[in-house]
Amino acid sequence: MALSFPLNNAPYGLVALAHALKAPSSTLSLKPASPEVVAQTTMVPQGTVKPVKITGTVAIARFLARSFPNATLYNESDLASTTAQDILLDTVRHTIFTPKHLATLAAAANHSETFLFSKDHPTLADYAVWGTITAYTKSHSLLSSLKELPKFMSWMERMDQREETKKAVAELDAVIKKATEALAAEAAAAAAEKAKQSSVIEIPTIAGSDPSIDPLDAFKNVLAAQLSALLDVDIKILYDALEAPRDSNNGHIALSVPRLRLKGNPAAIAADIVSKFQLNDYVLEAKADGPFVNFFLNHIKLAQSLFKKIYDTKERWGCNHLGGNKKVIVEFSSPNIAKPFHAGHLRSTIIGSFVRNILDANGFDTVSMNYLGDWGKQYGLLAVGFERYGCEEKLLEDPIKHLFDVYVQINQDAKENEAVHDEARAYFKKMEDGDEAALKIWSRFRDLSIVKYKDIYARLNIAFDVYSGESQVTDGMERALKMLHEKKLLTESDGALIVDLTAYKLGVCVVQKKDGTTLYITRDIGAALERYEKYGFEHMYYIVASQQDLHLKQLFKILELLGFDWAKKVTHLNFGMVGGMSTRKGTVVFLEDILEETRDSMHEVMKKNEHKYAQIEDPLQVADNIGISAIMIQDASARRVKNYDFDWSRMFSFEGDTGPYLQYAHARLCSIERKTEMEVNPNADLSHLGDSRAAGDLITMIARYPQIVRDTSRSFEPVNIVGYAMKLSHNVSQALESMYVMGAAKEVAEARLFMYWSARVTLGNAMRLLNLKPQDRM
């Protein structure tokens, strides 16, 4: 009978069983093959008219026991004995070749009542379990992790000492050694052939491509060069046309032939490309799929340059120098003092900080600016209100909330008494005229509010380089008004000064009230002028809700009409609104209330897993971080311009596109590094990653990160990074199903650990772009 088996799962138990049954050596021939060729052990009985293949360790063991009967091994007339054995045999049958499943099998054996030499003789189950465990421990040292199973460990020692088991090990090890050497020789010959093919390949230089920063570019450049020669199409056009396929089943890089606008049938052109394409050490396979050509890369070669790059750059992995250190201002958040930090400001804060991070990653010198709403008649109203309702103790405890309460009360008074508005206007006029006492009170409100805001921003993992505001605009506003006069852009209307923009379909813009006080847009014009004079920016981005589209269009048009050549360097990045973002109690939305509620809800979820909860040093801090991640990813998962509804119910899910899922994926990768107790070896032999599809998909996904960072600097869409981080996490999960580190042979473990470490660094960098603090443990 011929016994075919994979090299990584030798049938030690079956050979030992054959010897115990005294089966003639001529009846058993061993045929090892690589795991990819033979997934599990099979046997074809010889001498029968129509041989039937028997598959699986347990099925073959039972066949042998029946062919060479031995009542002490598997007595089917003894129902109690066979039932007890069948329980263990079924555990063997369902065991997957991973540490977790092997440990489950060992535990089942440890608790078995009929196991361990029933009546001082091994049973069929003894051989089956011993063989399965031995096949694993020969290369993975599983037994060191099973010391808490003393009964099982003692039994393994006794089984190892039996003559038939020693014979089985000696025979199989000799066969495996010979087969391994043969496979190694074949692999060496194949590698030599590939090296010969690739020896003449040079990586061409292509505009917009930089293999020194993005290792995947080397592969794209080699592909583009050969395709350019085949199709007589410019190499840059082909480089830009090479994209990631939507489905990893379709390879690692895809070419859409219709995108090239060639004459002829796209499907026929794709087939022709495949027939003429010369495979090399970079591209191992090319397949036509209708109008697409799908290319499969040499992921081991890619990993060799990729992981080294990640090891050298770590938290700067994925960044580039495209921005040339040019100065860019990003204005975002910009809450109004004495009003709650509402959902619109939260979106501006999350998106604005993301824009700043993306620009940083692309080599720009960024200035993050918080332009506070801290000036205007409403502050006169607030000062009047504080005189009536203010409380020093409450102001110091929580300035934003107390000033808001005061503001609500004085507004109620103003509804009932118009004179309150007159008082407010008079007070603001004093502020604009530089009245010392009025400015002192206003300045105190502002300073206390900024201290509170900084605490909130720090909690969100966000910081600003500059806290500015309408009040900080100095002579720029006066100079802008003077220029508007000189260019005859101002018109008087009922005592006020306006800029008529109706010719540009932008309506009429009031820049000064009839009492001489300024408005928001007046201060915006002055602020833009002063910023350019101070920073000489290459670009300035305003991260403001779409409700302000008209206001920003009016501002930009006025800057253009004033003749500023830098007016074309300002951009409004708008965003949609958030619906349903109130506390569960339905009260007014203070961001702190949302954060507290999110943290408490996440804390309750965490407490359900008592074992993991006990391992966390500061569970409330972790709950706060995961809760904030949930809020941020829910926001970043929507396209910028789209409105979306804040959804409490799905926010804390560890499945799907949520913040907790990303945090879990990162913590899981950190856990692998902790548990292996191995240092990442940058010189690991990555050929041990093999031709695993899961490894290829994960390596290629890691390699796509620099391109995603480049592309997102044009769209400023956080959802691009969210989508990438989710796909990367899914690829990690798929790889972990079969490519474990714990228990693997040292060289294999080092290669896999380097791969997972590189994935962890990449995921962490993507999360930091999204303003998340990657969690090491949860």
Side-chain angles (χ1 to χ4, degrees), residues 4 172 179 238 254 263 265 282 294 344 364 402 406 434 452 593 773 778:
S4 302
L172 277 162
L238 281 158
K263 291 182 180 178
N265 182 298
Y282 289 81
N294 300 316
F364 289 91
H402 181 55
V406 168
K452 183 67 176 179
D593 293 337
K773 296 177 188 174
M778 61 183 281

Side-chain angles (χ1 to χ4, degrees), residues 495-671:
L497 293 177
I498 65 166
V499 177
D500 187 353
L501 300 174
T502 52
Y504 308 101
K505 299 181 180 178
L506 295 175
V508 171
C509 184
V510 181
V511 295
Q512 184 175 294
K513 293 182 180 179
K514 61 183 177 182
D515 63 2
T517 56
T518 55
L519 288 96
Y520 197 86
I521 193 153
T522 325
R523 295 186 284 275
D524 273 356
I525 298 167
L529 172 60
E530 290 179 6
R531 289 176 196 177
Y532 188 75
E533 290 173 344
K534 181 175 181 178
Y535 296 104
F537 55 78
E538 176 66 20
H539 216 95
M540 179 162 61
Y541 295 95
Y542 293 83
I543 318 300
V544 184
S546 52
Q547 288 98 321
Q548 299 296 320
D549 282 357
L550 176 60
H551 173 85
L552 271 301
K553 285 176 182 176
Q554 289 178 332
L555 170 64
F556 298 165
K557 178 53 71 174
I558 290 172
L559 293 175
E560 182 189 321
L561 294 173
L562 285 171
F564 296 129
D565 57 0
W566 48 265
K568 60 182 177 294
K569 296 183 176 183
V570 293
T571 300
H572 174 205
L573 294 176
N574 60 2
F575 55 84
M577 294 307 295
V578 185
M581 191 176 178
S582 62
T583 63
R584 289 177 177 176
K585 296 174 184 175
T587 54
V588 67
V589 183
F590 279 95
L591 177 61
E592 274 200 301
D593 293 337
I594 294 290
L595 295 182
E596 298 297 321
E597 199 161 338
T598 306
R599 181 197 65 196
D600 294 344
S601 297
M602 193 65 242
H603 193 216
E604 290 303 313
V605 173
M606 287 168 57
K607 284 195 288 189
K608 291 176 181 176
N609 189 327
E610 295 180 12
H611 176 68
K612 286 188 177 179
Y613 185 82
Q615 297 176 347
I616 298 172
E617 286 184 19
D618 189 347
L620 265 181
Q621 179 59 44
V622 172
D624 192 45
N625 188 34
I626 299 173
I628 288 169
S629 301
I631 291 173
M632 288 185 161
I633 292 300
Q634 181 162 193
D635 188 279
S637 294
R639 288 276 170 196
R640 249 191 318 109
V641 295
K642 298 273 188 182
N643 299 333
Y644 79 92
D645 289 326
F646 191 76
D647 185 352
W648 283 97
S649 62
R650 69 173 288 275
M651 200 165 55
F652 301 117
S653 172
F654 284 81
E655 303 294 332
D657 296 352
T658 66
Y661 174 78
L662 282 186
Q663 290 287 11
Y664 170 75
H666 187 271
R668 187 182 184 190
L669 287 166
C670 291
S671 173

Side-chain angles (χ1 to χ4, degrees), residues 336-340 373 379 382 399-400 403-405 407 449 453:
N336 297 310
I337 289 174
K339 291 185 179 180
Y379 295 100
L382 181 62
I400 296 171
L403 292 176
F404 172 69
D405 291 339
Y407 191 72
S449 295
Y453 281 135

Side-chain angles (χ1 to χ4, degrees), residues 70-75 77-82 85 112-124 126-127 155 158-159 162:
N70 184 322
T72 62
L73 286 180
Y74 194 64
N75 185 359
S77 63
D78 184 348
L79 185 60
S81 171
T82 53
Q85 285 199 63
S112 173
E113 292 298 326
T114 59
F115 198 56
L116 303 161
F117 296 88
S118 176
K119 297 182 180 178
D120 208 32
H121 292 288
T123 64
L124 197 67
D126 285 279
Y127 288 112
W155 167 81
R158 292 163 70 189
M159 286 295 292
R162 295 187 65 83

